[in-house]
């Protein structure tokens, strides 16, 4: 039996369910039975012959590419570590060249299987677990753009805006998470066993000759969307301004203040509450047991 055939027999390796624990998603601890389907076994879903490593301490996220898609190369193709600690080097030792990404680019092929949505779940989170509108919104900018004059009208308007922002910070946001399992294409990983094989994998293949080394070949993740719309937050933020400032500002000033305030709230929302990709665990592959 060749090395790859033997390795494929080990693809189901995983930590015991008890080792997975309940994941923390954007600061909210959620039962694994809710996040991961099939009684939680997908918490430790993996492709490779090294144990799945759950990320239980500081949360780890995928940044996004220019088209808005998640950057899987932040993990896939990098050196595997037994504690899932952040690693700069890709397999082969370079901090700039990912052998799998280079192979995909050179050959014009897709080497990442992003999987399908295997489970969705809803949860709530406080605004302040991510940001503070009171800290992010420039109240003076809103007042100036709205033409609010100095004196008692401006003092009252400033107090009303800050009170509205403090209420926003206490809001619960409706969230939806989608669980996914992402892996490097097995036939591409198999190229590591071809010696001399494809040149893109030469350094990685050499590094993996040491059975202590491995490469990250899979990850589990949650794709997170904010269901509470920006417009709902804008409406909540500006609703109290009518009652508080109706007899303090002119109708034109109040309308301008509400419009500029809503715009600022929306800008913070777009930056902070866009789609998020949180990684739950990684899996690896090496010549060990192969």
């Amino acid at each position: 039996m060749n090395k790859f055939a033997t390795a494929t027999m080990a693809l189901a390796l995983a930590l015991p369910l008890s080792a997975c624990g309940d994941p923390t998603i954007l600061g909210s601890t959620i039962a694994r039975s809710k996040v991961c389907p099939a009684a939680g076994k997908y918490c430790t879903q993996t492709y490779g012959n090294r144990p799945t490593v759950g990320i239980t301490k500081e949360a780890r996220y995928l940044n996004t590419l220019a088209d808005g898609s998640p950057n899987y190369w932040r993990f896939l193709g990098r050196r595997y570590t037994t504690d899932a600690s952040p690693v700069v080097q890709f397999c082969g030792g370079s901090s700039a060249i990912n052998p799998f990404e280079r192979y995909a680019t050179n050959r014009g092929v897709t080497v990442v299987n992003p999987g399908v949505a295997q489970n969705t779940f809803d949860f709530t989170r406080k605004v302040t677990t991510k940001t503070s509108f009171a800290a992010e919104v420039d109240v003076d900018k809103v007042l100036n753009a709205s033409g609010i004059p100095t004196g008692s009208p401006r003092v009252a308007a400033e107090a009303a805006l800050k009170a509205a922002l403090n209420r926003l910070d206490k809001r619960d946001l409706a969230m939806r998470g989608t669980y996914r399992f992402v892996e490097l294409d097995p036939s591409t990983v198999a190229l590591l066993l071809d010696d001399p094989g494809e040149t893109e994998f030469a350094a990685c293949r050499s590094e993996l000759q040491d059975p202590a080394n491995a490469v990250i070949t899979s990850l589990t993740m949650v794709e997170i969307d904010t269901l509470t719309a920006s417009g709902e937050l804008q409406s909540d933020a500006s609703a109290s301004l009518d009652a508080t400032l109706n007899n303090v500002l002119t109708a034109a000033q109040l309308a301008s203040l509400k419009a500029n305030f809503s715009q600022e709230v929306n800008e913070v929302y777009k930056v902070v509450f866009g789609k998020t990709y949180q990684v739950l665990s990684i899996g690896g592959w090496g010549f060990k047991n192969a």
Side-chain angles (χ1 to χ4, degrees):
M1 183 178 292
N2 64 38
K3 290 183 177 180
F4 185 63
T6 305
T8 56
M9 296 175 62
L11 298 188
L13 283 177
L15 291 172
L17 184 60
S18 60
C20 181
D22 292 334
T24 299
I25 311 295
L26 291 182
S28 299
T29 300
I30 304 173
R32 62 177 177 266
S33 59
K34 184 175 182 179
V35 176
C36 308
K41 78 174 184 179
Y42 291 118
C43 284
T44 52
Q45 191 175 9
T46 186
Y47 165 68
N49 58 7
R50 300 298 171 89
T52 299
V53 183
I55 298 173
T56 57
K57 296 181 180 179
E58 182 181 356
R60 305 276 299 282
Y61 301 94
L62 298 178
N63 60 317
T64 55
L65 301 173
D67 63 0
S69 61
N71 180 19
Y72 300 119
W73 301 126
R74 189 168 186 183
F75 286 83
L76 298 180
R78 294 185 187 269
R79 288 174 170 172
Y80 168 91
T81 57
T82 56
D83 60 358
S85 57
V87 174
V88 174
Q89 290 81 15
F90 294 102
C91 183
S94 172
S95 59
I97 300 174
N98 184 330
F100 294 93
E101 183 179 14
R102 171 161 288 192
Y103 177 81
T105 300
N106 289 349
R107 301 297 196 277
V109 297
T110 299
V111 301
V112 176
N113 175 12
V116 297
Q118 297 190 31
N119 188 46
T120 59
F121 58 95
D122 293 341
F123 64 104
T124 60
R125 65 179 297 202
K126 294 289 185 184
V127 166
T128 48
T129 62
K130 182 67 174 176
T131 191
S132 166
F133 277 102
E136 295 290 339
V137 172
D138 188 338
V139 171
D140 282 335
K141 176 183 174 182
V142 173
L143 293 170
N144 292 335
S146 305
I148 308 302
T150 59
S152 57
R154 190 178 181 97
V155 171
E158 181 178 353
L161 291 178
K162 289 181 177 179
L165 290 170
N166 286 330
R167 280 192 293 275
L168 273 189
D169 282 349
K170 296 181 175 67
R171 274 286 309 260
D172 282 327
L173 296 178
M175 313 295 295
R176 174 162 295 162
T178 301
Y179 172 90
R180 291 182 182 274
F181 170 66
V182 181
E183 65 177 354
L184 286 172
D185 174 55
S187 63
T188 304
V189 176
L191 296 175
L192 291 169
L193 297 166
D194 295 338
D195 193 5
E198 306 293 354
T199 58
E200 292 90 345
F201 298 113
C204 180
R205 183 184 300 110
S206 176
E207 181 175 292
L208 295 179
Q209 297 301 317
D210 183 339
N213 296 331
V215 57
I216 297 174
T217 49
S218 66
L219 58 88
T220 65
M221 59 174 280
V222 175
E223 180 180 311
I224 307 162
D225 292 288
T226 303
L227 300 184
T228 302
S230 173
E232 183 179 337
L233 296 179
Q234 295 173 55
S235 178
D236 286 355
S238 61
S240 62
L241 300 183
D242 285 313
T244 306
L245 300 174
N246 191 45
N247 296 320
V248 177
L249 304 178
T250 67
Q253 288 172 338
L254 181 55
S256 180
L257 183 71
K258 290 169 62 178
N260 285 302
F261 188 45
S262 292
Q263 181 178 332
E264 283 294 299
V265 168
N266 186 50
E267 288 302 314
V268 173
Y269 179 94
K270 287 192 298 183
V271 172
V272 178
F273 297 104
K275 189 183 290 289
T276 302
Y277 303 93
Q278 182 174 339
V279 176
L280 301 180
S281 67
I282 60 170
W285 188 90
F287 286 173
K288 174 186 177 182
N289 297 328

